[in-house]
């Protein structure tokens, strides 16, 4: 990487779980635009292929895909092995895979609680553990970044499992940050605000709710997936080499107004 530009990701291999749509795809665009080689991991192989083609049309760097269920150790191992066979190394791991769901805190079934945490929290842990071991053994440092949510900071009585998964995720980030610091691996999280994606289209379809978010957000708009790109390029680059164990919020000012 050029010493003249600490944000240049040329030569770096970046994995983005759930990277074929929404925020993950916006992150992948940003990393590829900064020169990184990108591997998209997701269960939907057809969607992976579509996303990879879209990246290749806009960016010069190589793009790879791997079918992956982040809640399965076997699936994660296979995706890691396939990516290492293709690129030879992994420098950056973005734990983005996850989903939201709505349920009253008093009525939420335990099976639904476990189903969501399996992906959102277990999946991030397994991803960090798998890639962290690789970075330790390979040497030379690395980056691990988790996609959290402002739900980790607010009371969400209709999404208790989602909020708990993100709160736990940020605690996990701090634990890994301390464990991996001796190997020059920085570990951080990002809290997106209200971003216009497939995951939020139900809320956006209701005029009153959509406008409520706009009025509450000083930037006076919903975020777009590409709004997340810059912070992830920073956290994937040498510019953040002394920045670890932190959660950065990118929400257009929603949380301060």
């Amino acid at each position: 990487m050029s010493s003249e530009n600490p944000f240049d990701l040329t030569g770096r291999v970046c994995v983005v779980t759930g990277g074929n749509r929404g925020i993950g795809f916006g992150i992948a665009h940003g990393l590829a635009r900064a020169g990184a080689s990108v591997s998209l991991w997701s269960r939907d192989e057809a969607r992976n292929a579509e996303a990879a083609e879209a990246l290749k049309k806009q960016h010069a760097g190589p793009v790879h895909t791997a079918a992956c269920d982040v809640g399965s150790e076997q699936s994660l191992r296979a995706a890691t092995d396939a990516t290492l066979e293709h690129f030879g190394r992994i420098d950056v791991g973005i734990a983005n895979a996850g989903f939201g769901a709505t349920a009253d805190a008093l009525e939420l079934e335990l099976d639904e609680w476990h189903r969501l945490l399996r992906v959102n929290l277990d999946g991030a842990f397994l991803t960090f553990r798998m890639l962290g071991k690789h970075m330790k053994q390979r040497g030379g440092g690395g980056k691990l970044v988790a996609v959290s949510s402002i739900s980790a900071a607010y009371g969400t009585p209709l999404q208790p499992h989602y909020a708990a998964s993100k709160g736990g995720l940020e605690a996990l980030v701090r634990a890994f940050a301390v464990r991996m610091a001796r190997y020059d691996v920085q570990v951080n999280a990002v809290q997106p605000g209200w971003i216009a994606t497939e995951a939020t289209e139900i809320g956006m379809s209701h005029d009153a709710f959509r406008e409520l978010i706009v009025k509450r957000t000083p930037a006076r708009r919903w975020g777009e997936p590409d709004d997340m790109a810059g912070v992830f390029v920073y956290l994937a680059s040498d510019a953040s080499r002394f920045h670890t164990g932190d959660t950065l919020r990118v929400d257009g000012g929603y949380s301060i107004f």
Side-chain angles (χ1 to χ4, degrees), residues 101-130:
T102 301
D104 188 312
L106 294 177
E107 304 297 334
L108 176 62
E109 296 289 341
L110 186 59
D111 285 348
E112 285 301 298
W113 170 275
H114 287 306
R115 186 174 75 90
L116 187 142
L117 264 68
R118 176 186 179 275
V119 177
N120 291 19
L121 187 55
D122 296 358
F125 163 67
L126 292 172
T127 300
F128 275 12
R129 190 182 67 179
M130 186 79 68

Side-chain angles (χ1 to χ4, degrees), residues 8-217:
D8 181 11
L9 300 181
T10 301
R12 295 215 168 166
V13 177
C14 302
V15 164
V16 185
T17 69
N20 61 16
R21 67 186 75 187
I23 289 175
F25 193 47
I27 294 168
H29 264 297
L31 298 173
R33 192 161 51 231
S37 301
V38 177
S39 185
L40 307 175
W41 293 6
S42 176
R43 291 180 296 181
D44 191 335
E45 295 185 70
R47 194 70 177 260
N48 283 350
E50 292 175 9
E53 285 304 309
L55 288 180
K56 290 175 183 177
K57 288 180 181 178
Q58 297 187 45
H59 309 291
V63 181
H64 171 261
T65 68
C68 182
D69 173 3
V70 296
S72 163
E73 291 186 75
Q74 182 178 1
S75 183
L76 264 171
R77 168 54 65 191
T80 301
D81 289 346
T83 305
L84 291 175
E85 182 177 355
H86 187 83
F87 286 123
R89 61 188 289 131
I90 297 171
D91 302 288
V92 179
I94 310 292
N96 167 71
F99 68 97
T102 301
D104 188 312
L106 294 177
E107 304 297 334
L108 176 62
E109 296 289 341
L110 186 59
D111 285 348
E112 285 301 298
W113 170 275
H114 287 306
R115 186 174 75 90
L116 187 142
L117 264 68
R118 176 186 179 275
V119 177
N120 291 19
L121 187 55
D122 296 358
F125 163 67
L126 292 172
T127 300
F128 275 12
R129 190 182 67 179
M130 186 79 68
L131 299 185
K133 286 182 177 180
H134 163 69
M135 293 171 184
K136 173 187 173 182
Q137 293 166 0
R138 186 204 68 217
K143 306 284 187 171
L144 297 171
V145 190
V147 177
S148 183
S149 166
I150 55 174
S151 295
Y154 289 92
T156 55
L158 297 182
Q159 288 191 313
H161 44 348
Y162 181 73
S165 74
K166 296 305 184 178
L169 181 63
E170 293 183 18
L172 183 72
V173 161
R174 293 188 290 272
F176 267 88
V178 175
R179 182 67 179 89
M180 298 303 295
R182 70 197 70 181
Y183 308 114
D184 194 21
V185 175
Q186 291 78 54
V187 188
N188 291 286
V190 176
Q191 282 187 5
W194 290 98
I195 310 298
T197 67
E198 291 178 27
T200 57
E201 64 184 0
I202 294 178
M204 291 189 68
S205 68
H206 295 282
D207 292 344
F209 181 76
R210 185 178 65 252
E211 290 305 314
L212 176 65
I213 298 304
V214 171
K215 291 178 181 178
R216 167 77 182 269
T217 304

Side-chain angles (χ1 to χ4, degrees), residues 219-237:
R220 289 296 184 265
R221 66 177 177 87
W222 283 59
E224 297 291 337
D226 196 54
D227 289 321
M228 307 306 300
V231 69
F232 281 91
V233 169
Y234 163 69
L235 291 175
S237 75

